[in-house]
Amino acid sequence: MHSAIRQIAPESEINLSAAAGAPTLSPLGPAASRSAFCRYHVDTVEAPDIVHHPTRFRVKTDRFALLGLLLRELVHYRGRLPVVLARPCVYGVFGRPVGGMAPIHAKCVGCLRCTTQYPDVVQIHPNPARLRLGDSYLTPDHVDTILYEARGGRVPVRGAGYRGGFGGAGWDGMWTDMSEIVRPTRDGIHGREYISTVVDVGEKPAFIACDPRGRVIGATPRTLTLQLPMLLDVPPVAAIDRTLALAWSEAARRLETLAILPLTTILANHLSGAHLAPLLGPGELAALERLPSPPAVAFLDGWDAAAYAALRGRLAETIVGVRVPADADVAAHARAGVRVLHLVADYHGRRGGAFALELIQRAHGSLVEAGVREEATLLGSGGIVLAEHVAKAIICGLDAVGLDTALAVALQARFAGECTSRERALTLPRFEQPWAVARLANLAASWRDQLLEVMGAMGLREVRRLRGELGRCMFQADLEREAFEGIEGYAR
Ligand code: SF4
């Protein structure tokens, strides 16, 4: 392990830095400075919405029909006003003193009991303001889910059961293998057994060479250990201001992961710390001199062989990654010596006509074929908007994912139409930094808990073993082909 790179490892793991007698740094957070084993935990705090969030339904009542109904019921219930005014909703939508004259839309769960019993009095409509949230990829339901997670860091649970589809396009065409047999022995959320979400970002040579005296010669592992397989990816450039930059930085520090920010943003806001990964273009290398200390990780924006060599030359202690389009030939980059690759798709998870599910498998597979998969780190951004997408992207071959639009939605961003391009402006409300940090940390905590659920159900004890475990998932298209191929009417 390189002396400048910190490793947080469970007691059972070998710390190569310590083995090599090299000093280790603990730049990432409080847990890092503790030498003994410490169970990772994300503290959550309540962080309510600061912008009104549209309700799911609008309850429309015909006031004259309602008055007639109330009069009839007053007679029927012998003048018991609270009973009469509360009907016909058991959820309290008509619970105000004026009852259905001013329904409480936020309490409506859409059970349709009222409109079934009194179709002439009550009608339930989807709220058009809610339908305008997100876009065709990040749907209003996704927005609801993300906001719920960001408010308190809780795992969304629907007591009425799952009402959605059991397959579909994109991530919905992939199912993870959940076994009830292993379930009771692998409960990571409630602490009965520890499940690790630690990942390493960096370069890991296939072997370590030693001289006759046992001293390590040649390449050594150079990794930064993160407590989460999730990075805070670059926010939309147009949305970056000082408050957002500080929130990104502080959230990454608290979560003990990385915040990828443009180098210019880091410099302009005087940010520092090993949790910051500057993103710079080939023409920005000279600006690195203005950083107070070399970063632990830096990303070159796009492949440029000369700039990559120059960057590695300037930052000898730094893990240098390259941000490439998700359909890039990663094996060619690996042959050029790159060991940290960040695949970037658009906000809908697409690049070159393919979706992230396929792009990640393709990149992972090509690194496996090139024989360097274990030496390299594969990151990916784009189209990851639900907790389950993190697990699925890792199963497809990523070591860690970059979060982008989900973080913006957690901060109550509004999309202006279809939001595919990373240049596209998202509208963020004005907020205080502590609120934003709490929301980002809450979202990460909720997603981590959901990742633990998936791994627990799969019987896996650490997320590093989840990477590329395609044998532990099923694809809808494959199953349908196996079941229906050759049957008349089956179409792929
Ligand atoms: S749909 Fe259900 S929850 Fe909504 S107002 Fe009617 S009865 Fe109440």
Side-chain angles (χ1 to χ4, degrees):
M1 181 67 60
H2 195 276
S3 62
I5 308 302
R6 163 187 164 258
Q7 167 137 346
I8 308 168
E11 285 174 325
S12 57
E13 295 185 16
I14 298 170
N15 186 326
L16 289 175
S17 293
T24 55
L25 300 182
S26 299
L28 283 186
S33 57
R34 293 192 283 270
S35 57
F37 173 81
C38 173
R39 182 170 287 195
Y40 178 73
H41 175 72
V42 180
D43 289 325
T44 58
V45 290
E46 286 297 322
D49 295 345
I50 55 173
V51 177
H52 171 71
H53 182 59
T55 57
R56 286 175 66 85
F57 302 104
R58 301 294 297 173
V59 182
K60 296 201 171 154
T61 51
D62 182 325
R63 294 184 178 184
F64 294 109
L66 182 62
L67 275 175
L69 173 68
L70 290 178
L71 288 174
R72 287 197 301 278
E73 298 224 323
L74 265 175
V75 174
H76 182 80
Y77 288 102
R78 297 176 187 173
R80 281 186 284 164
L81 208 58
V83 175
V84 172
L85 291 177
R87 280 169 52 76
C89 176
V90 296
Y91 292 95
V93 173
F94 306 115
R96 284 204 176 106
V98 289
M101 296 296 169
I104 307 169
H105 303 286
K107 289 191 174 181
C108 179
V109 299
C111 70
L112 303 183
R113 180 197 178 280
C114 57
T115 196
T116 304
Q117 189 172 6
Y118 303 107
D120 298 335
V121 179
V122 188
Q123 291 290 319
I124 307 298
H125 299 275
N127 187 350
R130 179 181 176 275
L131 296 179
R132 287 194 291 273
L133 295 173
D135 64 8
S136 64
Y137 182 79
L138 203 156
T139 64
D141 283 346
H142 293 153
V143 174
D144 274 349
T145 303
I146 292 169
L147 291 181
Y148 177 83
E149 293 162 339
R151 283 180 203 123
R154 287 178 287 274
V155 174
V157 177
R158 291 194 173 86
Y162 177 67
R163 282 174 281 178
F166 287 90
W171 299 111
D172 290 341
M174 175 183 181
W175 305 322
T176 53
D177 174 12
M178 311 285 234
S179 168
E180 288 195 16
I181 296 169
V182 299
R183 176 80 198 161
T185 62
R186 293 280 187 267
D187 194 331
I189 292 183
H190 302 293
R192 285 191 277 273
E193 185 154 351
Y194 184 67
I195 297 177
S196 167
T197 52
V198 166
V199 288
D200 301 314
V201 173
E203 312 173 4
K204 293 152 274 183
F207 54 87
I208 296 175
C210 298
D211 66 12
R213 297 176 63 183
R215 290 176 303 200
V216 176
I217 54 173
T220 53
R222 295 156 46 81
T223 59
L224 183 72
T225 302
L226 309 179
Q227 293 294 317
L228 287 176
M230 295 178 246
L231 284 63
L232 277 58
D233 200 5
V234 191
V237 176
I240 299 178
D241 60 11
R242 179 167 173 76
T243 308
L244 188 76
L246 290 172
W248 236 243
S249 171
E250 177 59 17
R253 191 193 65 75
R254 274 186 53 191
L255 295 169
E256 300 185 36
T257 184
L258 288 172
I260 305 175
L261 285 168
L263 176 62
T264 49
T265 302
I266 292 174
L267 291 172
N269 294 287
H270 309 289
L271 303 176
S272 62
H275 57 283
L276 295 169
L279 174 68
L280 63 160
E284 295 180 286
L285 269 54
L288 284 166
E289 306 293 338
R290 292 165 51 203
L291 286 173
S293 58
V297 182
F299 288 96
L300 184 65
D301 197 5
W303 173 241
D304 182 310
Y308 180 72
L311 191 54
R312 292 207 60 154
R314 275 175 186 260
L315 301 174
E317 306 291 310
T318 299
I319 296 165
V320 178
V322 180
R323 207 170 156 91
V324 295
D327 59 348
D329 182 358
V330 292
H333 295 312
R335 282 193 293 276
V338 182
R339 289 293 180 269
V340 179
L341 285 149
H342 189 156
L343 308 176
V344 183
D346 67 22
Y347 282 153
H348 287 191
R350 303 197 72 82
R351 178 81 198 188
F355 184 66
L357 200 72
E358 180 189 341
L359 294 164
I360 296 168
Q361 289 180 68
R362 213 189 283 166
H364 172 74
S366 65
L367 290 178
V368 170
E369 279 179 25
V372 294
R373 184 63 190 95
E374 296 304 326
E375 299 180 36
T377 301
L378 197 57
L379 310 172
S381 294
I384 294 164
V385 299
L386 289 179
E388 68 181 65
H389 300 170
V390 175
K392 289 178 176 178
I394 293 172
I395 291 172
C396 286
L398 292 185
D399 289 281
V401 304
L403 308 184
D404 37 44
T405 42
L407 300 180
V409 172
L411 302 183
Q412 296 201 270
R414 292 294 176 107
F415 293 2
E418 285 297 298
C419 190
T420 53
S421 165
R422 291 178 176 272
E423 308 305 319
R424 182 104 191 184
L426 299 167
T427 310
L428 284 164
R430 292 178 69 83
F431 52 75
E432 301 286 329
Q433 182 200 328
W435 176 84
V437 173
R439 298 276 288 199
L440 299 179
N442 287 349
L443 185 73
S446 174
W447 283 24
R448 179 177 185 266
D449 280 351
Q450 291 173 73
L451 182 61
L452 294 179
E453 284 282 359
V454 173
M455 288 196 291
M458 294 173 88
L460 291 173
R461 294 188 61 179
E462 62 170 325
V463 75
R464 285 181 286 208
R465 289 170 189 260
L466 187 65
R467 188 201 70 193
E469 274 282 321
L470 286 167
R472 304 301 304 274
C473 74
M474 294 160 280
F475 293 95
Q476 183 185 357
D478 294 343
L479 295 177
E480 286 182 351
R481 189 172 53 249
E482 282 174 23
F484 305 124
E485 196 164 41
I487 298 175
E488 191 179 344
Y490 169 68
R492 292 184 66 185

